[in-house]
Amino acid sequence: MRFEEKIVLVTGGARGIGAAICRAFAHEGAHVVVADIDLKAAQKTATGLDHQKNEHLPVRVDLTHKSQILKMVELVAKEFSMIHILVNNAGICPLTGFEDISEEEWDQVLNINLKSAFLCCQNVLPYMKPTHCGRIINISSAAGKMGGVLVGAHYAASKAGLLALTWCLARAYAQYGITANAVAPATVETDMTRAWGQAKLKQLRKKFPLGRIGKPDDVASAVLFLASDEAEFITGEVLDVNGGFLMD
Ligand SMILES: NC(=O)c1ccc[n+]([C@@H]2O[C@H](COP(=O)([O-])OP(=O)(O)OC[C@H]3O[C@@H](n4cnc5c(N)ncnc54)[C@H](O)[C@@H]3O)[C@@H](O)[C@H]2O)c1
């Protein structure tokens, strides 16, 4: 029960990696806010979480709207009065080739994957600072370190941006006892990657020395470690969770 009494906000928490992160925190005693654009799925995920002494809050938020992010944070603050852990996980991943990326699609990917993390951090920090033990964890990607193998340039650029955001936060908020770290998975089996089709996933599997692509729980374990007391001296780190896909 490493996270008893901790308040955790997970964006994109309704499914895939986000849902696995919510389940893992709830299992270890945290109160979890499942924030997602898909309220029904968020409610379903929240209902399925471990409830012992902890309570969970599904929240609908479209992270492309600053006003909705502000409302979400206000709601969480009203319910729990503080936020210990923020996981910026929501993301979209179009596979569009470079010359076919429209300006609108570029903006949409950057808004959801990067700008929303900036806005969530900016609005959550006032509720995190008084805890003196805050944790920010950004879900980046191997694509943000090496360029996308299959995924679009906008996606890779957004995930690289998340790394720089992580380092800036780590430097600026260390004085408040807040750490900021990133997790960089390679391919993980979720709705996002299942949409690519089994043939592509089979091809990709061959690139993983450990012989399989990732599972959402692989990423959740890394997130929980970075959020734990054991990681209190780790900040500005990028933790690869990729089965050996990228070794740097
Ligand atoms: N699956 C992978 O292979 C992989 C690899 C590396 C990094 N990642 C990253 O991990 C994160 C989670 O990916 P996943 O595979 O679980 O994806 P997913 O598509 O299964 O889940 C993403 C969740 O984000 C939510 N979301 C999307 N747009 C939103 C918006 N505007 N406002 C609020 N919520 C929104 C969706 O409703 C969904 O519940 C993403 O940031 C992704 O880029 C995934």
Side-chain angles (χ1 to χ4, degrees):
M1 297 297 259
R2 286 180 293 176
F3 299 100
E4 222 167 344
E5 295 308 317
K6 290 282 176 3
I7 317 301
V8 185
L9 169 55
V10 182
T11 69
R15 59 173 65 78
I17 292 170
I21 294 169
C22 291
R23 281 193 296 272
F25 273 119
H27 188 64
E28 295 211 38
H31 304 290
V32 179
V33 181
V34 185
D36 206 284
I37 196 167
D38 184 342
L39 180 61
K40 265 203 176 146
Q43 284 167 332
K44 196 169 164 210
T45 298
T47 307
L49 300 179
D50 276 358
H51 289 79
Q52 290 172 23
K53 283 180 286 177
N54 40 352
E55 50 177 299
H56 311 298
L57 182 67
V59 179
R60 186 194 180 274
V61 60
D62 180 348
L63 293 160
T64 58
H65 294 284
K66 183 179 172 181
S67 59
Q68 294 194 23
I69 293 177
L70 299 188
K71 260 175 89 179
M72 167 186 75
V73 176
E74 272 170 22
L75 192 76
V76 178
K78 201 170 150 211
E79 183 78 17
F80 296 111
S81 76
M82 63 183 83
I83 301 170
H84 298 95
I85 299 163
L86 167 65
V87 184
N88 288 308
N89 163 78
I92 59 167
C93 181
L95 307 186
T96 319
F98 190 80
E99 290 182 42
D100 294 323
I101 297 173
S102 65
E103 190 180 349
E104 289 71 29
E105 190 177 295
W106 176 275
D107 288 344
Q108 192 198 19
V109 172
L110 271 288
N111 282 342
I112 297 177
N113 293 9
L114 180 58
K115 187 176 168 190
S116 79
F118 153 66
L119 290 171
C120 286
C121 290
Q122 206 176 48
N123 288 284
V124 162
L125 277 161
Y127 300 99
M128 191 177 270
K129 278 192 215 166
T131 70
H132 301 291
C133 62
R135 298 278 192 268
I136 295 171
I137 294 145
N138 294 323
I139 307 301
S140 178
S141 166
K145 299 174 79 177
M146 60 185 282
V149 173
L150 188 68
V151 300
H154 39 7
Y155 178 81
S158 72
K159 294 299 181 178
L162 267 181
L163 299 182
L165 177 68
T166 304
W167 296 321
C168 293
L169 289 162
R171 285 184 199 286
Y173 289 92
Q175 61 183 310
Y176 300 100
I178 295 172
T179 67
N181 292 290
V183 175
T187 314
V188 178
E189 191 160 357
T190 66
D191 289 352
M192 182 183 274
T193 50
R194 277 190 284 271
W196 302 349
Q198 282 308 316
K200 272 200 183 106
L201 288 182
K202 203 172 159 192
Q203 274 298 110
L204 275 170
R205 251 177 216 116
K206 294 184 190 146
K207 297 184 189 294
F208 288 73
L210 282 177
R212 65 169 176 86
I213 62 170
K215 295 179 284 193
D217 286 342
D218 296 324
V219 183
S221 302
V223 170
L224 262 69
F225 167 66
L226 291 171
S228 71
D229 289 347
E230 288 91 338
E232 69 174 7
F233 201 54
I234 299 175
T235 195
E237 181 58 34
V238 181
L239 183 49
D240 288 334
V241 180
N242 66 22
F245 176 82
L246 166 68
M247 302 185 200
D248 59 353

